[in-house]
């Protein structure tokens, strides 16, 4: 029997450690960018609604954060967190929250808002995040929180899932139906 040779371990390649460190740095950068975006959204909420309290703005930012899809195609993998937040908050399931998200979207397309924040803000990204939050909130207002909880089930209502996935609830018809009830 030939003796075992451990010579291959005399020099261990540190590429794996570099990859882990790079992934950690990338994750920290994403988290930092997300925190900065949420601070900007908080400021923009005050610009959109000067009467909003800090607590109400923070609560809406928390909702935007919870429902944010991140790098995934949609936010349905976070539906349990979203449902929990919606069920635990009367402040979210009301027309006032929807109106604030609408006004926030309007501020995101206002060139003066970017100037007021010193420029360099990625308003297209913020607008997408706000639009997705409005879609989620409007779905809950129009169809109900239980219907949202069912979207990720084994047998979801295909019609509702399709409308939700295509951001159909952020449109004016759904908004009028929910707000004018």
């Amino acid at each position: 029997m030939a003796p075992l040779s451990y010579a291959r371990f005399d020099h261990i390649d540190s590429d794996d450690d570099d990859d882990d460190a790079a992934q950690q740095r990338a994750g920290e950068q994403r988290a930092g960018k997300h925190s900065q975006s949420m601070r900007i959204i908080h400021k923009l909420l005050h610009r959109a609604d000067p009467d909003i309290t800090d607590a109400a703005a923070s609560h809406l930012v928390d909702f935007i954060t919870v429902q944010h899809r991140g790098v995934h195609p949609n936010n349905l993998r976070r539906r349990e967190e979203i449902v929990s937040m919606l069920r635990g908050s009367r402040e979210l399931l009301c027309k006032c929250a929807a109106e604030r998200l609408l006004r926030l979207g309007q501020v995101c397309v206002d060139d003066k808002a970017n100037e007021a924040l010193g420029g360099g803000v990625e308003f297209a990204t913020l607008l997408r995040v706000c639009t997705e939050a409005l879609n989620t909130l409007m779905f809950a207002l129009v169809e109900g929180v239980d219907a949202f909880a069912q979207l990720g089930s084994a047998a979801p209502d295909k019609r509702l899932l399709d409308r939700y996935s295509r951001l159909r609830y952020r449109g004016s018809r759904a908004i009028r139906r929910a707000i004018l009830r």
Side-chain angles (χ1 to χ4, degrees):
M1 180 178 265
L4 290 175
S5 172
Y6 295 100
R8 66 181 176 178
F9 295 111
D10 288 344
H11 177 69
I12 298 175
D13 193 7
S14 65
D15 284 347
D16 290 343
D17 292 339
D18 292 344
D19 290 346
D20 291 345
Q23 286 178 350
Q24 183 177 357
R25 280 192 306 277
E28 290 169 358
Q29 286 175 341
R30 278 192 306 275
K33 188 173 181 179
H34 175 76
S35 294
Q36 179 186 14
S37 295
M38 293 304 114
R39 283 191 298 275
I40 290 169
I41 286 175
H42 192 273
K43 288 178 185 176
L44 291 175
L45 278 166
H46 282 284
R47 186 175 178 89
D49 181 0
D51 296 330
I52 193 171
T53 65
D54 267 348
S58 294
H59 194 58
L60 206 47
V61 168
D62 289 344
F63 173 71
I64 292 168
T65 298
V66 165
Q67 72 77 48
H68 182 49
R69 66 185 171 95
V71 297
H72 305 289
N74 60 48
N75 64 2
L76 293 178
R77 65 179 47 226
R78 301 190 75 183
R79 77 181 183 285
E80 290 178 17
E81 295 171 83
I82 296 166
V83 166
S84 176
M85 185 170 202
L86 288 170
R87 285 186 176 149
S89 175
R90 288 179 156 222
E91 297 85 26
L92 287 175
L93 287 175
C94 66
K95 72 177 189 176
C96 182
E99 289 168 347
R100 285 177 171 153
L101 285 174
L102 279 169
R103 283 192 230 118
L104 179 60
Q106 290 170 336
V107 170
C108 285
V109 296
D110 181 5
D111 292 334
K112 293 177 184 173
N114 197 3
E115 292 171 15
L117 292 172
V121 177
E122 295 178 25
F123 275 94
T125 302
L126 294 181
L127 180 60
R128 180 183 49 79
V129 169
C130 295
T131 300
E132 291 170 354
L134 180 62
N135 189 60
T136 300
L137 181 60
M138 292 308 301
F139 183 95
L141 286 169
V142 172
E143 305 296 344
V145 177
D146 290 337
F148 185 80
Q150 294 300 316
L151 286 182
S153 69
D157 181 320
K158 298 288 187 200
R159 182 185 62 82
L160 293 181
L161 180 59
D162 181 60
R163 289 189 69 211
Y164 179 74
S165 297
R166 293 175 184 240
L167 301 177
R168 296 286 194 242
Y169 288 90
R170 55 92 169 99
S172 61
R173 210 166 63 203
I175 292 167
R176 280 195 301 270
R177 275 183 33 208
I179 291 178
L180 298 178
R181 289 194 217 184

